[in-house]
Amino acid sequence: MAKKYIDVMDTTFRDGFQSVFGGRVLMEDFFSAVEAAKDAGITHFEFGGGARFQSLFFYLRENAFEMMDRFRQIVGPEANLQTLARGINTVMLDTGSRELVEMHAKMFAKHGVTTIRNFDALNDVQNLEYSAECIKKYGLNHEVVVTLMDLPPGCSGAHDVAFYEKTLRNILDSGIAYDSICFKDASGTSSPQKVYETIKMARKLVGEDAHIRLHTHETAGVSVACYLAALEAGADGIDLAASPVSGGTSQPDILTMLHAVKGKNYDLGGLDVEKVLKYQEVLNDCLKDYFLPPEATQVSPLIPFSPMPGGALTANTQMMRDNGTLDKFPEVIKAMREVVEKGGYGTSVTPVSQFYWQQAYANVMFGPWKQIAPGYGKMVLGYFGKTPTAPDPEVVKLASEKLKLEPTTENPLDIADRDEKKTMAYWENRLKEEGIETTEENIFIAAACDEKGITFLKGDGPLNIRKTNANICENDKVCEQGENKAMNNASGNYTVVVDGQKFNVTVAEGNADIQITPVAQTETQTSCASSGNGEEVPAAVNGNVWKILVKEGERVEKDQTIMILEAMKMEIDINSPVAGTISKILVSQNQAVDEGQPLAVIS
C-alpha cells in the first residue's frame, strides 16, 4: 500500500524569517536559497503577506511586490505560492475598508500569488466572508482558517474542541467558498490531544475530499507531537521550515519531521533527505551574517501560560532591543496572562497578539491598567468584531473612558467604509501631494503602511536589520549590529556617558589615535538645565516622537495630551502634569527619545 502523500508547505521565507528575524531579511540575501529549495523538490512555499509585507517597507527599503515577482520568476509558474492575510485586516494592522480588502486580493493575484491563507484572530466568521469573496473573485485559492491556542490554566469558555466545531460549522453555514481548511496555532500552545480531536472533528464535518492542514510553532515545545497527532487524525498537509529558521519560535525543521515519520505511512512532500540537506547548507550560508536572537532558538515553558506567537515574539524583542527595554521582556510575558484572561480570548495571533503584547507592555511600564493600548481597547469594545467570550466588564468600561469610544456591535467593515483615510482616493491624493506616481501598487502600499508607506515611496525609509558585522552592508546603508558582535568589529564614532557627562569617542582597530572630546551642550540641553522655573514633561518610555500637539506659548490644562510617542507599535499619550503655558518644546517630530528625557517645559 502506497504511503499517504502529505503536502508540505515550506514557510522558511515568510513565517521562518518573521519568527527568527522579525521579517528583516533582504531579498538579495536569500534568493539563492530559494533556488536551492526549488532544486530540492519543494513546490509549495509561503513567500509573503502577513508581517512580511509591511516589514519590507518599514525596515528593508524593499518593495514587497517586487520581491514577490522575483520569487515567482525563480520557482516557475507551477509552484504553489502562498501568502497570509488577516481577514478584513489583510496585511494591515487595522481594519481595511471593503475597497482596500478587494485591492489586496487584486494586487496579490497580480504579483504571483496562488493561494491566500485567510484568518480572523477572533474567529468571527463575519470577518472572513468579504475577504473570501474577494480572494475567489480574482481567481486565487482560498484557504480558510480556524485559529487555535490553549487558554491559560484555569480559564474556560473558548479554545476547546467544541469551540472549534462551532467556528467551523459557522464557516460552512455562511457559504464561504474555500479550497482548503487550515487550523492555525501561531503560539504553538495547543496540546497534541486537542489537535487530534479537532482534526478528527473537522474530517467528520467536511468529508474525506476536503484538504485539511495544521500550522503550528515550536515555541512551547510540542509542535512535532502536534503534527504527528494531526497526521494520525487525517490531516493532509503541514507547514515546515529549514534550518537556521526552524524550531524555536518557528515551525519544526523539515529534516526533523522527516525523521519523526520514519516507519509511518506518510510521504512528506516526496522530499529527499540529501537534497534537503543541500538546501539547508545554502540557506545557512545565505544567513550567516545575520544576528540570530537567542530567544528565537529556544523553547519556552512559559508560553502556554502567556501565549505569544513565535512570529510576534522576536519582532517584539527586536523592537525592545531597539528601544533599550529588553530587560523588561520577562515581566511583559508574565503580564500577558492577565491581559489574555480579561480580553475575551481572541486567539493570540496578529493583530490580537500585538494588542495583548502592547497592553502587557503598558501594564509593566506604566502600572497595571493605568493606560489602555488603543488596539486592545478597541478590541474589547467590539471595533474588530466579536470576541469569543465577553471581555471583563471593568476593562471594557476603562477602555471606553480612556479611548472616548462607546462599545459597538456594528460590522467593522461598515465602520471602516466611513473612514476617509481608508479609501483609495485619499491615498491617491496623498501621493499626488508628494509627487509620487499613482499606480495601484503605490496607492495600496500607502494605504497599508500609512505615512511609513509614503516615506518608503519617497525613498526616505530607514534600513534597520541586524547583522553581526555592519561592514558587510552596502556603504550607503546603515545596519544595526547584533548584540553578539565582537568589540574588534566596533570601529566608529560613539557617544558615551561618564558620571553624567557625555563624550564623543572614536574607536578604531589597532594602535590608531583615539580622540575623546566632551559633547558640546546643545540648545535643548541648555534649555533643560535652565528650566528651573518651569515643570519639565518627561518621556514615559523610550520611543519616537510621533506627534507634537501644542506650540510654544500655548496654554494647556492639567492632563491635556501635548505629545504622542510611538513605541512597540503603540501610541503613548504624553500629558501635561500641570496647567500652564508651553514655554519650550525640547524635541522634534520623529526624534528618538529616552525614558525620562525632557520633552517640553511648562511654566
Side-chain angles (χ1 to χ4, degrees):
M1 180 178 170
K3 291 185 176 182
K4 179 180 178 180
Y5 182 85
I6 303 298
D7 179 73
V8 171
M9 182 169 74
D10 183 349
T11 60
T12 297
F13 305 103
R14 208 295 300 175
D15 208 346
F17 285 173
Q18 179 62 33
S19 298
V20 174
F21 301 116
R24 306 182 195 186
V25 182
L26 297 165
M27 68 174 95
E28 296 298 344
D29 288 344
F30 71 80
F31 276 153
S32 59
V34 176
E35 186 74 46
K38 175 190 173 184
D39 293 342
I42 295 172
T43 60
H44 188 181
F45 297 89
E46 187 181 42
F47 82 130
R52 268 289 290 178
F53 184 79
Q54 287 185 329
S55 64
L56 272 69
F57 302 107
F58 287 2
Y59 305 117
L60 302 182
R61 295 183 188 162
E62 292 185 344
N63 191 316
F65 291 126
E66 178 190 349
M67 184 279 294
M68 292 158 66
D69 290 341
R70 294 181 62 185
F71 200 111
R72 171 59 77 185
Q73 291 172 2
I74 293 171
V75 299
E78 301 304 318
N80 183 359
L81 295 188
Q82 187 160 320
T83 58
L84 185 66
R86 309 171 186 127
I88 54 177
N89 294 71
T90 63
V91 289
M92 301 173 277
L93 289 177
D94 197 4
T95 303
S97 63
R98 286 178 173 86
E99 187 178 19
L100 293 181
V101 172
E102 179 174 356
M103 187 55 61
H104 162 261
K106 180 180 180 181
M107 290 296 95
F108 276 53
K110 179 179 177 181
H111 291 280
V113 174
T114 310
T115 303
I116 293 183
R117 176 177 286 173
N118 186 35
F119 74 91
D120 179 66
L122 301 180
N123 280 312
D124 185 342
V125 174
Q126 177 182 250
N127 287 347
L128 297 173
E129 292 174 347
Y130 185 71
S131 52
E133 179 184 324
C134 294
I135 290 167
K136 295 304 295 180
K137 176 179 178 179
Y138 289 95
L140 299 170
N141 294 332
H142 177 227
E143 184 162 281
V144 71
V145 177
V146 177
T147 56
L148 315 182
M149 73 173 184
D150 259 18
L151 296 178
C155 298
S156 61
H159 291 288
D160 53 17
V161 179
F163 172 73
Y164 300 137
E165 180 174 356
K166 177 183 176 183
T167 303
L168 183 54
R169 286 187 183 276
N170 287 342
I171 290 172
L172 299 176
D173 292 343
S174 73
I176 291 174
Y178 64 87
D179 299 277
S180 54
I181 300 168
C182 176
F183 290 89
K184 176 179 171 65
D185 187 342
S187 58
T189 53
S190 294
S191 68
Q193 184 62 28
K194 186 176 80 172
V195 166
Y196 177 83
E197 293 174 8
T198 299
I199 300 296
K200 274 286 192 184
M201 171 274 297
R203 180 60 71 199
K204 183 178 179 181
L205 270 184
V206 300
E208 292 300 318
D209 294 334
H211 183 91
I212 299 175
R213 58 189 309 116
L214 178 69
H215 168 95
T216 191
H217 289 245
E218 180 61 10
T219 324
V222 294
S223 65
V224 172
C226 284
Y227 274 156
L228 290 173
L231 294 177
E232 291 296 325
D236 304 298
I238 56 176
D239 297 353
L240 302 171
S243 175
V245 294
S246 57
T249 52
S250 183
Q251 280 69 61
D253 189 84
I254 298 171
L255 293 173
T256 299
M257 202 66 209
L258 286 170
H259 181 70
V261 298
K262 282 180 180 177
K264 294 184 177 291
N265 195 38
Y266 307 117
D267 172 9
L268 296 190
L271 296 176
D272 177 84
V273 169
E274 296 300 327
K275 291 180 179 179
V276 174
L277 277 168
K278 177 61 177 175
Y279 159 38
Q280 294 203 354
E281 288 175 10
V282 175
L283 182 64
N284 271 275
D285 185 63
C286 286
L287 300 176
K288 67 180 184 300
D289 295 317
Y290 281 80
F291 169 58
L292 189 67
E295 65 272 14
T297 64
Q298 297 171 355
V299 166
S300 171
L302 296 179
I303 291 299
F305 297 87
S306 302
M308 168 52 59
L313 192 150
T314 50
N316 288 326
T317 56
Q318 292 287 48
M319 285 189 287
M320 294 184 88
R321 280 187 175 88
D322 294 342
N323 286 352
T325 57
L326 188 59
D327 61 304
K328 301 291 186 182
F329 175 70
E331 293 177 62
V332 177
I333 280 288
K334 185 177 179 181
M336 267 192 66
R337 177 173 179 171
E338 181 184 20
V339 169
V340 172
E341 290 175 353
K342 294 188 174 184
Y345 298 151
T347 315
S348 192
V349 60
T350 306
V352 168
S353 58
Q354 200 64 26
F355 301 158
Y356 287 153
W357 177 266
Q358 290 168 346
Q359 188 59 55
Y361 185 82
N363 284 358
V364 168
M365 301 301 292
F366 309 119
W369 307 104
K370 297 297 184 183
Q371 288 202 18
I372 291 289
Y376 185 84
K378 290 175 70 176
M379 178 186 72
V380 300
L381 291 170
Y383 285 85
F384 296 107
K386 185 178 180 182
T387 54
T389 63
D392 182 272
E394 289 301 314
V395 171
V396 172
K397 180 181 177 183
L398 182 63
S400 183
E401 292 171 353
K402 293 282 189 180
L403 302 184
K404 297 178 174 61
L405 290 171
E406 291 299 317
T408 184
T409 57
E410 188 177 5
N411 186 332
L413 281 174
D414 292 336
I415 298 173
D417 282 347
R418 295 195 298 269
D419 187 342
E420 183 191 10
K421 284 194 69 174
K422 295 179 180 180
T423 65
M424 295 287 285
Y426 175 89
W427 290 105
E428 182 177 2
N429 289 333
R430 279 290 290 117
L431 295 187
K432 288 177 179 178
E433 290 173 5
E434 299 289 346
I436 300 170
E437 186 180 5
T438 56
T439 63
E440 287 184 322
E441 284 84 352
N442 285 354
I443 296 170
F444 185 77
I445 289 166
C449 301
D450 204 270
E451 291 301 322
K452 290 183 180 179
I454 299 291
T455 300
F456 165 80
L457 292 169
K458 290 170 65 177
D460 297 333
L463 183 78
N464 189 343
I465 59 175
R466 290 182 176 271
K467 291 192 174 185
T468 54
N469 183 353
N471 295 327
I472 62 179
C473 297
E474 297 176 25
N475 292 333
D476 64 340
K477 295 182 177 181
V478 178
C479 297
E480 296 289 335
Q481 292 181 291
E483 292 183 338
N484 61 344
K485 65 181 177 63
M487 281 308 294
N488 62 3
N489 286 329
S491 301
N493 295 316
Y494 297 86
T495 299
V496 298
V497 179
V498 180
D499 291 334
Q501 187 174 0
K502 290 186 177 181
F503 294 86
N504 282 333
V505 180
T506 300
V507 180
E509 294 185 33
N511 296 317
D513 250 354
I514 298 179
Q515 304 299 319
I516 305 176
T517 57
V519 175
Q521 194 172 37
T522 65
E523 181 182 348
T524 294
Q525 291 167 326
T526 302
S527 299
C528 291
S530 62
S531 60
N533 294 327
E535 182 86 16
E536 291 184 343
V537 183
V541 292
N542 295 350
N544 292 296
V545 179
W546 186 53
K547 286 184 180 179
I548 299 175
L549 304 176
V550 293
K551 297 178 181 178
E552 291 184 358
E554 184 174 334
R555 175 77 184 178
V556 296
E557 300 302 321
K558 184 179 180 181
D559 295 327
Q560 179 180 335
T561 302
I562 64 170
M563 294 186 194
I564 301 176
L565 302 187
E566 182 186 47
M568 303 299 294
K569 296 184 181 179
M570 178 170 57
E571 298 169 21
I572 298 167
D573 291 344
I574 301 299
N575 297 330
S576 173
V578 294
T581 300
I582 302 291
S583 59
K584 193 72 176 175
I585 293 176
L586 305 173
V587 293
S588 58
Q589 198 153 304
N590 297 321
Q591 179 180 333
V593 296
D594 296 327
E595 181 181 357
Q597 177 178 334
L599 304 176
V601 178
I602 299 174
S603 57

